[in-house]
Amino acid sequence: MKGFPLALLLTGLLLWSACDDASTVGVDLVGEQGAPTTERLDLATLSSVPYDDVTGGATRLLTGDVDDPALGRITATSFLDLSGTFGAPGDSTIQEVSLRLAPDYVYGDTTATLTLALAEVLDMWDDEGLTADTTLSTAATPLTETSFVPTDSLVTLTLPDTWIAENGDLFTGDDFEDAFVGFALQSTTPGAVVGFSASASELRVVTPSDTIEYQITKTLSTLGREGSPALPPDQTLLQDGVGPTVQFDLDLSSFADTPLNGAVIRFFTRSETLGTLPPHFVRPTLDRVQIVLVDEDDGEPVELELDDEAIDEDGTLSFSSAALRELFQQTTFGEDLYDALELRVAPSDNSISPLLLYTPEAADDLAPEVLLTISPADQ
Amino acid sequence: MPTTFRAVPSAPMLRRTVTLLALFALLALGPRDATAQRNSTGDAGSIYSRFGIGQLESFASSQSEALGGGGAALWTYNYPTFDNPASLSRQVVVRAVGGFRMQRLTIEDAAGSSSTINSGSLGAVQFGLPILQDRFGLGFSFTPYSRVNYQVQTRGELITDPLQQDTTAYRISYEGAGGLQELSAGAGYRVTDALSLGLSADMIFGIIEDGRRTIFESSAFTETNLTTSTQTRGVTATGGALYTLSNVFREQDDLNVGLSIRLPTKLDADRSRTLGESLDRDTLAADLSGDIDLPWSLRSGLSYRTDNRWTATVNARYEPWSQFDSDFGFPGFDPDGASQMNDRLRLSGGLEVVPAGDDQLAPYLQRVAYRLGGYYDQAYVAPSDDLSLRTIAVTGGLGLPTAFPGTHLDINFQVGTRGSAEDDFVRDLFVGFSATLNMGERWFRKRKLR
């Protein structure tokens, strides 16, 4: 009990000191030091660079031939591989094999009659990481072809009986996935590039007693451009799939060692400035864009997504992620963390949709801008 | 047979003292280092501690603290007093001292606004060791030299997007933490019955942190915490003399005159600027190295004691801080420009009475030491040439005997005011309490052997 009064005293003193009321009283002795400010700066550089998108494994197959009056001619050939199990082991009679394709994208004349040819792929392939400039070997002669308009909801390519007779055991055997290496979808008439949903398309095998669906498990779209886009002088092109993409950089040297509270990079887009489109011609534009850090680490290319944003209704594209701010903050500390910053289209949207961005040469209210919210360090 | 004596330690007492001393040391060292992070959880002090190297502390002993804070001429066998190392010669038992302090601070500005802040900190840890009883002794002390501890904030609104006129509210919290510590090892020798001389080596070291935390209402903006940290260390020495005149005015009285001088100190310092929180800080630019020159210090005093009942003391401390120099800037000091450094003058005095005197059998309340004092402190740095920063305070306390012979618990208080609530300045009104445990025991006893 002797220690009780002392313990009581100590407890009381500790409780007495346990509250606080930080306030503005006395701040005049400090002054308004370090008040944050918003600084606007222009991009130091912006350039258009070739880019072959990764189309291997995409959820959409692009096929066709379109001549955009402003952006030039783009051709697309797609490749697919299939997987499935023959569901009627006691019934090896195959009556029909057809590839049923579900269009979900069109770029070009929606009224054009397109001819689609189906050819065999000759070699085994893996779609992982394949880019739009990849070409696979195909048979010289198509197996079949069909005509359709891009607004059709289903495009069917029926394989000839001779092919069924020669390859029917592909389905009834045990090694379909090794024995069958894929088909190519080639357009033989210009007019539009059409996209087919891989998940909604299938190979249908019909026997007297059953109908078996084989799913598309590998995809690749090979894209090519002919001619150069005819662009307004103060705009640059970002186009999915076929490229080009846009590289840019900032000059943060005047913000060395400056605490950075926020960073916004803003681009302005006006795709309608590409001129009047021909009747029935559809040119889908991009609605989401990423900023990607591009670097090399021990010779290996490194790409890191910094932000992914939708384009506003008024055509403004603003990036303001924490990763972007942190990158710029580390840059102000003198670290050299990247070779380039690039605008990219989200990989899941396999298309050839374009986006026009104003360059630093545009008028002040349309040129790309960077807004940095800083807390001055030298005050 | 001749009688011989052998000095042997009292093992249980020794263990207890060492354990308590280690506990005090741990308590003192640990939280002091953590001071730099403490502001964010709400412990802060005077905004005036932002200036210079912080608010200077004065702690010679818990007895002197209650008597105004000066101890150049104050000595008793019950308290090791470190203002004057000569007093270390006058010890008869080993003493270990440790304590802590609480302060309630009310800040008022010219507009009538006020803010109340509570804070707590550990005080000094001291250790006195008589080698030759009442003739030669050693002392070790770990005390705060200065303290930086403030937190004040301002609010505003920022246009974050001039084009779209987007705005967000923000708050800037200016925070200071840390301070300098003083680690002293001293020795005092009683040259004659009247004259003692002493010398101590004093290491001054510590970290001063001034931070600025910017917080936004919108989560789209990242909070930043910019901290300027100055780490210092240096060594100096203090010499002192204590002269005692006995039976001056009456039987059993003594008049003491004390004087101590501390040499100027050159502190090696490194300054860094960091961004971020404590464990995840980015260093901005390269660390800077330089010197900080602290001025010499003169402490003098008189004390008068009679019948071991009454003790009176007056003390003065003078430090020519106008000679302060530094390669680094501090609030109130620009190495390339204006400086608001002033010479420091601290005057203090106090009176103690122990009604029972030496009578250990008297009732408890008569064995308590009752103390009252006060001090005036002309600060060494001011926020502006327009303000002469002064502190005036009343001090007092009780020295409570405990059930353990030689051990006291000192409960002290001080009530004071600092500065002036005019223009941009503020007035601090503070009420402080401290509790100090002072343990004394004989480590070596002469055991009679046959």
Side-chain angles (χ1 to χ4, degrees):
Chain A
M1 292 296 289
K2 283 178 180 175
F4 181 72
L6 178 60
L8 193 64
L9 174 70
L10 297 180
T11 304
L13 289 172
L14 284 171
L15 289 174
W16 183 65
S17 70
C19 56
D20 175 61
D21 178 22
S23 79
T24 60
V25 178
V27 74
D28 290 336
L29 287 169
V30 179
E32 293 287 328
Q33 293 183 6
T37 62
T38 301
E39 304 289 333
R40 181 192 180 281
L41 63 154
D42 296 325
L43 295 183
T45 62
L46 185 146
S47 58
S48 178
V49 293
Y51 179 66
D52 290 307
D53 199 2
V54 175
T55 57
T59 57
R60 179 183 288 155
L61 294 156
L62 295 172
T63 304
D65 183 341
V66 63
D67 191 2
D68 187 307
L71 303 181
R73 184 181 175 203
I74 296 170
T75 58
T77 300
S78 58
F79 304 88
L80 59 94
D81 197 359
L82 300 156
S83 177
T85 304
F86 193 68
D91 183 2
S92 60
T93 305
I94 298 175
Q95 295 177 323
E96 182 183 308
V97 177
S98 59
L99 184 63
R100 298 162 63 84
L101 301 169
D104 66 350
Y105 175 84
V106 59
Y107 184 123
D109 186 354
T110 56
T111 61
T113 299
L114 306 175
T115 301
L116 188 64
L118 184 70
E120 282 184 297
V121 175
L122 300 178
D123 301 315
M124 287 288 287
W125 57 290
D126 186 354
D127 64 354
E128 186 177 351
L130 294 184
T131 54
D133 60 343
T134 306
T135 300
L136 303 181
S137 299
T138 59
T141 306
L143 297 172
T144 184
E145 61 181 33
T146 188
S147 295
F148 69 102
V149 292
T151 51
D152 288 347
S153 59
L154 181 66
V155 178
T156 303
L157 286 155
T158 303
L159 287 146
D161 293 340
T162 52
W163 185 86
I164 295 173
E166 291 173 6
N167 299 279
D169 55 352
L170 281 175
F171 301 99
T172 56
D174 296 332
D175 58 346
F176 175 80
E177 288 171 20
D178 291 332
F180 178 78
V181 295
F183 290 134
L185 295 170
Q186 301 162 327
S187 173
T188 58
T189 55
V193 169
V194 178
F196 301 106
S197 167
S199 60
S201 301
E202 63 187 16
L203 183 77
R204 179 171 291 182
V205 178
V206 180
T207 68
S209 62
D210 202 0
T211 299
I212 305 136
E213 287 89 23
Y214 285 73
Q215 304 303 317
I216 296 174
T217 54
K218 295 180 189 174
T219 63
L220 171 67
S221 296
T222 297
L223 306 172
R225 179 194 293 278
E226 293 180 12
S228 300
L231 301 176
D234 60 350
Q235 295 181 36
T236 190
L237 175 67
L238 171 68
Q239 190 157 13
D240 194 11
V242 71
T245 189
V246 173
Q247 283 190 354
F248 64 94
D249 205 357
L250 292 70
D251 179 6
L252 297 173
S253 57
S254 59
F255 298 95
D257 293 334
T258 300
L260 207 56
N261 302 103
V264 178
I265 299 181
R266 183 175 293 151
F267 295 90
F268 298 95
T269 69
R270 295 289 187 277
S271 292
E272 63 269 25
T273 56
L274 282 174
T276 305
L277 293 172
H280 311 297
F281 194 99
V282 173
R283 182 198 289 142
T285 56
L286 295 171
D287 57 1
R288 291 196 73 86
V289 179
Q290 297 179 336
I291 282 187
V292 176
L293 176 154
V294 181
D295 194 32
E296 272 196 9
D297 185 10
D298 294 331
E300 292 295 317
V302 174
E303 295 185 353
L304 179 65
E305 178 191 331
L306 299 172
D307 201 359
D308 183 335
E309 296 291 340
I311 299 166
D312 292 347
E313 289 181 359
D314 62 357
T316 305
L317 179 59
S318 297
F319 299 98
S320 59
S321 69
L324 201 61
R325 186 209 67 84
E326 182 61 25
L327 176 71
F328 292 159
Q329 181 70 88
Q330 296 303 319
T331 303
T332 65
F333 295 161
E335 294 192 40
D336 183 11
L337 296 174
Y338 59 90
D339 291 334
L341 296 174
E342 284 189 7
L343 296 182
R344 298 271 183 86
V345 183
S348 59
D349 298 332
N350 192 26
S351 74
I352 55 169
S353 301
L355 184 69
L356 252 65
L357 303 158
Y358 283 100
T359 65
E361 286 72 38
D364 283 349
D365 59 339
L366 293 174
E369 63 179 5
V370 181
L371 297 175
L372 299 179
T373 301
I374 61 171
S375 295
D378 54 353
Q379 292 184 15
Chain B
M1 291 184 65
T3 300
T4 59
F5 296 90
R6 192 178 71 186
V8 294
S10 168
M13 290 184 179
L14 182 67
R15 275 200 302 272
R16 190 179 58 155
T17 301
V18 169
T19 302
L20 286 170
L21 195 63
L23 180 62
F24 275 130
L26 281 172
L27 286 172
L29 286 170
R32 265 178 208 293
D33 290 342
T35 300
Q37 286 81 46
R38 205 165 50 206
N39 273 339
S40 60
T41 61
D43 173 53
S46 172
I47 183 65
Y48 290 119
S49 72
R50 169 181 169 81
F51 296 90
I53 59 169
Q55 200 167 311
L56 299 183
E57 303 277 334
S58 299
F59 185 88
S61 70
S62 55
Q63 180 196 30
S64 77
E65 183 182 49
L67 299 177
L74 195 63
W75 71 273
T76 79
Y77 293 127
N78 289 330
Y79 296 91
T81 304
F82 286 79
D83 255 8
N84 187 346
S87 68
L88 296 173
S89 65
R90 302 181 183 189
Q91 302 181 75
V92 293
V93 296
V94 175
R95 287 208 169 270
V97 178
F100 65 92
R101 294 176 292 176
M102 303 286 181
Q103 180 177 266
R104 185 177 186 84
L105 176 69
T106 300
I107 307 171
E108 296 175 351
D109 64 13
S113 301
S114 67
S115 156
T116 300
I117 299 167
N118 296 328
S119 64
S121 65
L122 287 156
V125 176
Q126 298 174 327
F127 185 68
L129 180 66
I131 303 300
L132 297 174
Q133 191 169 297
D134 204 17
R135 180 152 299 273
F136 177 58
L138 302 178
F140 305 92
S141 170
F142 181 64
T143 56
Y145 181 87
S146 72
R147 189 171 187 222
V148 177
N149 191 25
Y150 64 89
Q151 184 176 20
V152 66
Q153 61 185 19
T154 185
R155 296 175 186 275
E157 191 157 285
L158 174 70
I159 297 175
T160 57
D161 189 337
L163 183 66
Q164 301 180 359
Q165 285 297 300
D166 290 341
T167 62
T168 186
Y170 69 83
R171 176 165 54 93
I172 304 175
S173 179
Y174 304 95
E175 303 168 358
L180 304 186
Q181 319 299 327
E182 181 177 337
L183 185 62
S184 296
Y189 183 72
R190 197 162 189 168
V191 182
T192 67
D193 283 349
L195 178 64
S196 292
L197 298 176
L199 192 66
S200 69
D202 312 306
M203 175 184 285
I204 297 172
F205 62 97
I207 300 174
I208 295 171
E209 288 195 345
D210 288 296
R212 194 179 72 215
R213 187 183 297 271
T214 308
I215 305 137
F216 291 84
E217 187 178 79
S218 167
S219 59
F221 298 92
T222 301
E223 173 182 325
T224 53
N225 184 19
L226 183 69
T227 302
T228 300
S229 180
T230 308
Q231 188 166 5
T232 67
R233 62 265 164 204
V235 177
T236 186
T238 303
L242 181 64
Y243 193 81
T244 301
L245 298 167
S246 299
N247 305 323
V248 180
F249 302 112
R250 52 185 296 186
E251 289 291 318
Q252 292 189 340
D253 72 353
D254 56 66
L255 177 66
N256 302 281
V257 181
L259 182 73
S260 70
I261 298 175
R262 169 170 290 177
L263 300 178
T265 316
K266 185 180 288 294
L267 303 179
D268 294 329
D270 297 310
R271 173 166 286 185
S272 63
R273 179 170 281 187
T274 58
L275 181 67
E277 299 304 324
S278 57
L279 297 178
D280 185 22
R281 291 187 179 188
D282 289 302
T283 299
L284 307 181
D287 288 2
L288 301 174
S289 296
D291 295 328
I292 299 173
D293 295 325
L294 306 183
W296 53 268
S297 173
L298 175 67
R299 303 162 201 181
S300 62
L302 286 172
S303 72
Y304 177 74
R305 178 169 49 211
T306 178
D307 295 334
N308 285 327
R309 281 190 175 81
W310 294 91
T311 301
T313 184
V314 290
N315 290 271
R317 174 185 288 204
Y318 176 75
E319 293 165 352
W321 282 87
S322 55
Q323 299 173 12
F324 173 84
D325 197 10
S326 168
D327 293 330
F328 306 113
F330 290 94
F333 177 81
D334 182 351
D336 302 318
S339 167
Q340 283 89 46
M341 308 298 280
N342 305 307
D343 293 349
R344 181 193 186 198
L345 178 63
R346 190 181 196 282
L347 302 174
S348 64
L351 182 65
E352 175 190 275
V353 59
V354 182
D358 286 335
D359 184 1
Q360 298 301 311
L361 300 177
Y364 181 81
L365 291 179
Q366 293 187 27
R367 287 186 286 125
V368 172
Y370 300 89
R371 299 167 183 139
L372 189 65
Y375 68 87
Y376 163 90
D377 195 337
Q378 168 70 53
Y380 74 103
V381 62
S384 161
D385 291 333
D386 299 333
L387 177 69
S388 181
L389 188 60
R390 300 183 182 91
T391 303
I392 299 172
V394 175
T395 62
L398 301 172
L400 304 172
T402 68
F404 303 102
T407 297
H408 296 80
L409 175 65
D410 293 301
I411 306 296
N412 294 338
F413 74 88
Q414 61 174 315
V415 179
T417 178
R418 179 188 305 112
S420 171
E422 297 172 355
D423 300 326
D424 290 341
F425 309 122
V426 296
R427 176 168 54 232
D428 291 345
L429 301 170
F430 56 88
V431 180
F433 289 94
S434 69
T436 305
L437 190 61
N438 176 349
M439 297 171 295
E441 28 178 61
R442 292 183 186 278
W443 271 14
F444 302 98
R445 290 177 178 169
K446 290 181 178 178
R447 180 175 295 171
K448 184 180 291 186
L449 296 178
R450 295 185 181 183

